[in-house]
Amino acid sequence: MTQVDAMVAAGGEIAPDDPLYPLTKGGPKALVSISGKPMVQWVLDALAGADRVGRVVVVGLTPASGLRCGDKPLDFIPSAGSMVANARAGLQYGLQLNSSATRMLWVSADIPTVRAKHFNWLVDECLKTDVDFCYSVIERPVMEKRFPGSRRSYTRLKGATVCGGDSGLLATRLVKGDNPVWEKITDARKNVFKQASLIGYETLLLLALRQLTAERAVQLVGKKMGITGRPVFCPYAEIGMDVDKPFQYEIVARDLERMKTEG
């Protein structure tokens, strides 16, 4: 059985104008209490029970948070300032801990309904091919059946309407040597024209005409960025049920309470 290490993206403070600010009171979103635990602790509990996951690195928090990951080694590194920078920092730190690692699981801290079996499935599925990034997507009927009223943002592709998942597999080779992909993404982060150029105008046209499949989208963007990728259609809505709005918090809180009651 192949194991991969995991990084949990838990950095960032919530601004006063964010809808979740009353819940965070200015603290980290990852530590918002939901159904009796910090939000990120639910994610760590799922990783603790996942056979395919080894040690875990939390990006953006400190040991003072009191978090645990079962019996698995748990490390903490500070936030590097953005999601892209944190992913890069997590990969680099993961390689310091395990120089032979070839992949690392990336997980967002705000998907508290996720369970160990979901991570096991995702790792097994992503390891079927050797690509730089393996990204999870969830079809709209799957999401809306599991979480009615979640009001996720969807993208209409050819043959499917999907939302992005909040977990995927990254190749550690992305941080070995001088890989320009990180600078490309960071440089385009706040410029819509650079983002369009990075994605590729052919991709945008096919998307507008609804002639773009998920596989073709990843292929085109990967070619522009000089990396390889693969989308994975995930049957588990929990991997995409993040908490960005108060009504989503309420949906997830009720779901967690129900699961605790049912055991």
PDB file of all heavy atoms in Angstrom, residues 7 57 59 77-96 104 175 182:
ATOM      1  N   MET A   7      -0.455  17.958   3.151  1.00  0.00           N
ATOM      2  CA  MET A   7      -0.392  19.319   3.687  1.00  0.00           C
ATOM      3  C   MET A   7      -1.808  19.845   3.789  1.00  0.00           C
ATOM      4  O   MET A   7      -2.647  19.610   2.909  1.00  0.00           O
ATOM      5  CB  MET A   7       0.458  20.225   2.791  1.00  0.00           C
ATOM      6  CG  MET A   7      -0.193  20.591   1.480  1.00  0.00           C
ATOM      7  SD  MET A   7       0.749  21.803   0.535  1.00  0.00           S
ATOM      8  CE  MET A   7       1.709  20.714  -0.509  1.00  0.00           C
ATOM      9  N   VAL A  57       1.378  17.964   7.429  1.00  0.00           N
ATOM     10  CA  VAL A  57       1.914  19.301   7.685  1.00  0.00           C
ATOM     11  C   VAL A  57       0.762  20.297   7.598  1.00  0.00           C
ATOM     12  O   VAL A  57       0.030  20.325   6.608  1.00  0.00           O
ATOM     13  CB  VAL A  57       2.996  19.685   6.662  1.00  0.00           C
ATOM     14  CG1 VAL A  57       3.482  21.114   6.905  1.00  0.00           C
ATOM     15  CG2 VAL A  57       4.162  18.708   6.710  1.00  0.00           C
ATOM     16  N   VAL A  59      -0.179  24.117   7.215  1.00  0.00           N
ATOM     17  CA  VAL A  59       0.416  25.373   6.763  1.00  0.00           C
ATOM     18  C   VAL A  59      -0.447  26.534   7.244  1.00  0.00           C
ATOM     19  O   VAL A  59      -1.613  26.640   6.871  1.00  0.00           O
ATOM     20  CB  VAL A  59       0.531  25.410   5.224  1.00  0.00           C
ATOM     21  CG1 VAL A  59       1.251  26.685   4.782  1.00  0.00           C
ATOM     22  CG2 VAL A  59       1.246  24.183   4.701  1.00  0.00           C
ATOM     23  N   ILE A  77       3.955  24.799   9.856  1.00  0.00           N
ATOM     24  CA  ILE A  77       4.812  25.840   9.281  1.00  0.00           C
ATOM     25  C   ILE A  77       3.960  27.094   9.103  1.00  0.00           C
ATOM     26  O   ILE A  77       2.745  27.015   8.928  1.00  0.00           O
ATOM     27  CB  ILE A  77       5.452  25.421   7.942  1.00  0.00           C
ATOM     28  CG1 ILE A  77       4.379  25.132   6.884  1.00  0.00           C
ATOM     29  CG2 ILE A  77       6.365  24.238   8.132  1.00  0.00           C
ATOM     30  CD1 ILE A  77       4.975  24.873   5.481  1.00  0.00           C
ATOM     31  N   PRO A  78       4.584  28.271   9.152  1.00  0.00           N
ATOM     32  CA  PRO A  78       3.803  29.512   9.043  1.00  0.00           C
ATOM     33  C   PRO A  78       3.272  29.725   7.628  1.00  0.00           C
ATOM     34  O   PRO A  78       3.775  29.154   6.663  1.00  0.00           O
ATOM     35  CB  PRO A  78       4.815  30.592   9.429  1.00  0.00           C
ATOM     36  CG  PRO A  78       6.150  29.989   9.106  1.00  0.00           C
ATOM     37  CD  PRO A  78       6.008  28.519   9.402  1.00  0.00           C
ATOM     38  N   SER A  79       2.270  30.576   7.533  1.00  0.00           N
ATOM     39  CA  SER A  79       1.719  30.929   6.230  1.00  0.00           C
ATOM     40  C   SER A  79       2.767  31.679   5.423  1.00  0.00           C
ATOM     41  O   SER A  79       3.514  32.512   5.946  1.00  0.00           O
ATOM     42  CB  SER A  79       0.475  31.801   6.395  1.00  0.00           C
ATOM     43  OG  SER A  79       0.025  32.283   5.152  1.00  0.00           O
ATOM     44  N   ALA A  80       2.805  31.390   4.128  1.00  0.00           N
ATOM     45  CA  ALA A  80       3.725  32.089   3.222  1.00  0.00           C
ATOM     46  C   ALA A  80       3.040  33.254   2.537  1.00  0.00           C
ATOM     47  O   ALA A  80       3.653  33.923   1.699  1.00  0.00           O
ATOM     48  CB  ALA A  80       4.278  31.109   2.189  1.00  0.00           C
ATOM     49  N   GLY A  81       1.764  33.494   2.844  1.00  0.00           N
ATOM     50  CA  GLY A  81       1.106  34.695   2.364  1.00  0.00           C
ATOM     51  C   GLY A  81      -0.006  34.524   1.360  1.00  0.00           C
ATOM     52  O   GLY A  81      -0.851  35.396   1.210  1.00  0.00           O
ATOM     53  N   SER A  82      -0.032  33.427   0.618  1.00  0.00           N
ATOM     54  CA  SER A  82      -1.094  33.196  -0.353  1.00  0.00           C
ATOM     55  C   SER A  82      -1.271  31.698  -0.537  1.00  0.00           C
ATOM     56  O   SER A  82      -0.419  30.899  -0.117  1.00  0.00           O
ATOM     57  CB  SER A  82      -0.754  33.840  -1.703  1.00  0.00           C
ATOM     58  OG  SER A  82       0.298  33.147  -2.354  1.00  0.00           O
ATOM     59  N   MET A  83      -2.369  31.301  -1.167  1.00  0.00           N
ATOM     60  CA  MET A  83      -2.624  29.884  -1.377  1.00  0.00           C
ATOM     61  C   MET A  83      -1.518  29.235  -2.210  1.00  0.00           C
ATOM     62  O   MET A  83      -1.050  28.135  -1.909  1.00  0.00           O
ATOM     63  CB  MET A  83      -3.976  29.678  -2.061  1.00  0.00           C
ATOM     64  CG  MET A  83      -4.344  28.217  -2.274  1.00  0.00           C
ATOM     65  SD  MET A  83      -5.927  27.985  -3.098  1.00  0.00           S
ATOM     66  CE  MET A  83      -7.028  28.648  -1.863  1.00  0.00           C
ATOM     67  N   VAL A  84      -1.094  29.945  -3.263  1.00  0.00           N
ATOM     68  CA  VAL A  84      -0.037  29.417  -4.129  1.00  0.00           C
ATOM     69  C   VAL A  84       1.275  29.293  -3.364  1.00  0.00           C
ATOM     70  O   VAL A  84       1.947  28.254  -3.415  1.00  0.00           O
ATOM     71  CB  VAL A  84       0.143  30.319  -5.366  1.00  0.00           C
ATOM     72  CG1 VAL A  84       1.347  29.873  -6.185  1.00  0.00           C
ATOM     73  CG2 VAL A  84      -1.110  30.291  -6.231  1.00  0.00           C
ATOM     74  N   ALA A  85       1.627  30.349  -2.644  1.00  0.00           N
ATOM     75  CA  ALA A  85       2.877  30.326  -1.872  1.00  0.00           C
ATOM     76  C   ALA A  85       2.833  29.258  -0.784  1.00  0.00           C
ATOM     77  O   ALA A  85       3.843  28.609  -0.494  1.00  0.00           O
ATOM     78  CB  ALA A  85       3.144  31.701  -1.265  1.00  0.00           C
ATOM     79  N   ASN A  86       1.664  29.065  -0.177  1.00  0.00           N
ATOM     80  CA  ASN A  86       1.537  28.052   0.873  1.00  0.00           C
ATOM     81  C   ASN A  86       1.675  26.644   0.309  1.00  0.00           C
ATOM     82  O   ASN A  86       2.260  25.766   0.948  1.00  0.00           O
ATOM     83  CB  ASN A  86       0.195  28.200   1.585  1.00  0.00           C
ATOM     84  CG  ASN A  86       0.183  29.369   2.551  1.00  0.00           C
ATOM     85  OD1 ASN A  86       1.229  29.891   2.918  1.00  0.00           O
ATOM     86  ND2 ASN A  86      -1.000  29.794   2.958  1.00  0.00           N
ATOM     87  N   ALA A  87       1.129  26.398  -0.884  1.00  0.00           N
ATOM     88  CA  ALA A  87       1.280  25.090  -1.514  1.00  0.00           C
ATOM     89  C   ALA A  87       2.747  24.813  -1.811  1.00  0.00           C
ATOM     90  O   ALA A  87       3.249  23.699  -1.580  1.00  0.00           O
ATOM     91  CB  ALA A  87       0.455  25.025  -2.798  1.00  0.00           C
ATOM     92  N   ARG A  88       3.425  25.817  -2.297  1.00  0.00           N
ATOM     93  CA  ARG A  88       4.863  25.664  -2.590  1.00  0.00           C
ATOM     94  C   ARG A  88       5.641  25.403  -1.300  1.00  0.00           C
ATOM     95  O   ARG A  88       6.494  24.505  -1.255  1.00  0.00           O
ATOM     96  CB  ARG A  88       5.374  26.926  -3.276  1.00  0.00           C
ATOM     97  CG  ARG A  88       6.816  26.829  -3.769  1.00  0.00           C
ATOM     98  CD  ARG A  88       7.219  28.101  -4.471  1.00  0.00           C
ATOM     99  NE  ARG A  88       8.489  27.960  -5.154  1.00  0.00           N
ATOM    100  CZ  ARG A  88       9.059  28.914  -5.882  1.00  0.00           C
ATOM    101  NH1 ARG A  88       8.435  30.078  -6.024  1.00  0.00           N
ATOM    102  NH2 ARG A  88      10.214  28.716  -6.483  1.00  0.00           N
ATOM    103  N   ALA A  89       5.345  26.186  -0.248  1.00  0.00           N
ATOM    104  CA  ALA A  89       6.040  26.018   1.029  1.00  0.00           C
ATOM    105  C   ALA A  89       5.766  24.640   1.619  1.00  0.00           C
ATOM    106  O   ALA A  89       6.661  23.996   2.186  1.00  0.00           O
ATOM    107  CB  ALA A  89       5.610  27.108   2.008  1.00  0.00           C
ATOM    108  N   GLY A  90       4.520  24.165   1.485  1.00  0.00           N
ATOM    109  CA  GLY A  90       4.174  22.842   1.997  1.00  0.00           C
ATOM    110  C   GLY A  90       4.927  21.739   1.283  1.00  0.00           C
ATOM    111  O   GLY A  90       5.412  20.789   1.918  1.00  0.00           O
ATOM    112  N   LEU A  91       5.054  21.841  -0.038  1.00  0.00           N
ATOM    113  CA  LEU A  91       5.818  20.851  -0.802  1.00  0.00           C
ATOM    114  C   LEU A  91       7.294  20.864  -0.400  1.00  0.00           C
ATOM    115  O   LEU A  91       7.912  19.811  -0.226  1.00  0.00           O
ATOM    116  CB  LEU A  91       5.691  21.126  -2.299  1.00  0.00           C
ATOM    117  CG  LEU A  91       4.405  20.686  -2.985  1.00  0.00           C
ATOM    118  CD1 LEU A  91       4.400  21.151  -4.437  1.00  0.00           C
ATOM    119  CD2 LEU A  91       4.229  19.167  -2.930  1.00  0.00           C
ATOM    120  N   GLN A  92       7.842  22.067  -0.265  1.00  0.00           N
ATOM    121  CA  GLN A  92       9.255  22.176   0.107  1.00  0.00           C
ATOM    122  C   GLN A  92       9.512  21.592   1.491  1.00  0.00           C
ATOM    123  O   GLN A  92      10.503  20.866   1.691  1.00  0.00           O
ATOM    124  CB  GLN A  92       9.687  23.648   0.052  1.00  0.00           C
ATOM    125  CG  GLN A  92       9.758  24.199  -1.363  1.00  0.00           C
ATOM    126  CD  GLN A  92       9.971  25.708  -1.400  1.00  0.00           C
ATOM    127  OE1 GLN A  92       9.578  26.433  -0.475  1.00  0.00           O
ATOM    128  NE2 GLN A  92      10.583  26.197  -2.461  1.00  0.00           N
ATOM    129  N   TYR A  93       8.621  21.887   2.435  1.00  0.00           N
ATOM    130  CA  TYR A  93       8.800  21.348   3.783  1.00  0.00           C
ATOM    131  C   TYR A  93       8.596  19.837   3.794  1.00  0.00           C
ATOM    132  O   TYR A  93       9.314  19.111   4.493  1.00  0.00           O
ATOM    133  CB  TYR A  93       7.817  22.014   4.750  1.00  0.00           C
ATOM    134  CG  TYR A  93       8.114  21.723   6.200  1.00  0.00           C
ATOM    135  CD1 TYR A  93       9.139  22.389   6.860  1.00  0.00           C
ATOM    136  CD2 TYR A  93       7.386  20.775   6.904  1.00  0.00           C
ATOM    137  CE1 TYR A  93       9.428  22.115   8.191  1.00  0.00           C
ATOM    138  CE2 TYR A  93       7.662  20.498   8.237  1.00  0.00           C
ATOM    139  CZ  TYR A  93       8.683  21.163   8.873  1.00  0.00           C
ATOM    140  OH  TYR A  93       8.973  20.894  10.187  1.00  0.00           O
ATOM    141  N   GLY A  94       7.636  19.369   3.005  1.00  0.00           N
ATOM    142  CA  GLY A  94       7.417  17.929   2.908  1.00  0.00           C
ATOM    143  C   GLY A  94       8.646  17.197   2.409  1.00  0.00           C
ATOM    144  O   GLY A  94       8.974  16.106   2.891  1.00  0.00           O
ATOM    145  N   LEU A  95       9.351  17.802   1.455  1.00  0.00           N
ATOM    146  CA  LEU A  95      10.579  17.188   0.941  1.00  0.00           C
ATOM    147  C   LEU A  95      11.698  17.214   1.983  1.00  0.00           C
ATOM    148  O   LEU A  95      12.533  16.311   2.024  1.00  0.00           O
ATOM    149  CB  LEU A  95      11.041  17.909  -0.330  1.00  0.00           C
ATOM    150  CG  LEU A  95      10.413  17.427  -1.639  1.00  0.00           C
ATOM    151  CD1 LEU A  95      10.878  18.298  -2.803  1.00  0.00           C
ATOM    152  CD2 LEU A  95      10.770  15.965  -1.906  1.00  0.00           C
ATOM    153  N   GLN A  96      11.715  18.237   2.815  1.00  0.00           N
ATOM    154  CA  GLN A  96      12.702  18.274   3.897  1.00  0.00           C
ATOM    155  C   GLN A  96      12.480  17.116   4.863  1.00  0.00           C
ATOM    156  O   GLN A  96      13.441  16.514   5.367  1.00  0.00           O
ATOM    157  CB  GLN A  96      12.622  19.600   4.649  1.00  0.00           C
ATOM    158  CG  GLN A  96      13.079  20.815   3.862  1.00  0.00           C
ATOM    159  CD  GLN A  96      12.927  22.095   4.662  1.00  0.00           C
ATOM    160  OE1 GLN A  96      13.013  22.098   5.895  1.00  0.00           O
ATOM    161  NE2 GLN A  96      12.679  23.194   3.978  1.00  0.00           N
ATOM    162  N   MET A 104       2.431  14.654  -2.891  1.00  0.00           N
ATOM    163  CA  MET A 104       1.925  15.138  -1.612  1.00  0.00           C
ATOM    164  C   MET A 104       0.466  15.526  -1.795  1.00  0.00           C
ATOM    165  O   MET A 104       0.094  16.151  -2.790  1.00  0.00           O
ATOM    166  CB  MET A 104       2.750  16.325  -1.120  1.00  0.00           C
ATOM    167  CG  MET A 104       2.613  16.626   0.361  1.00  0.00           C
ATOM    168  SD  MET A 104       3.909  17.758   0.941  1.00  0.00           S
ATOM    169  CE  MET A 104       3.524  17.779   2.703  1.00  0.00           C
ATOM    170  N   VAL A 175       8.760  21.573  -7.085  1.00  0.00           N
ATOM    171  CA  VAL A 175       9.593  22.499  -6.313  1.00  0.00           C
ATOM    172  C   VAL A 175      11.069  22.116  -6.364  1.00  0.00           C
ATOM    173  O   VAL A 175      11.884  22.670  -5.626  1.00  0.00           O
ATOM    174  CB  VAL A 175       9.132  22.584  -4.836  1.00  0.00           C
ATOM    175  CG1 VAL A 175       7.776  23.239  -4.749  1.00  0.00           C
ATOM    176  CG2 VAL A 175       9.118  21.222  -4.176  1.00  0.00           C
ATOM    177  N   TRP A 182       5.497  28.517 -10.546  1.00  0.00           N
ATOM    178  CA  TRP A 182       5.053  29.249  -9.354  1.00  0.00           C
ATOM    179  C   TRP A 182       5.045  30.751  -9.617  1.00  0.00           C
ATOM    180  O   TRP A 182       4.118  31.459  -9.207  1.00  0.00           O
ATOM    181  CB  TRP A 182       5.959  28.919  -8.175  1.00  0.00           C
ATOM    182  CG  TRP A 182       5.981  27.456  -7.884  1.00  0.00           C
ATOM    183  CD1 TRP A 182       6.949  26.558  -8.242  1.00  0.00           C
ATOM    184  CD2 TRP A 182       4.961  26.695  -7.225  1.00  0.00           C
ATOM    185  NE1 TRP A 182       6.601  25.300  -7.832  1.00  0.00           N
ATOM    186  CE2 TRP A 182       5.398  25.349  -7.208  1.00  0.00           C
ATOM    187  CE3 TRP A 182       3.748  27.017  -6.633  1.00  0.00           C
ATOM    188  CZ2 TRP A 182       4.644  24.333  -6.632  1.00  0.00           C
ATOM    189  CZ3 TRP A 182       2.988  26.015  -6.055  1.00  0.00           C
ATOM    190  CH2 TRP A 182       3.443  24.691  -6.060  1.00  0.00           C
TER     191      TRP A 182
END
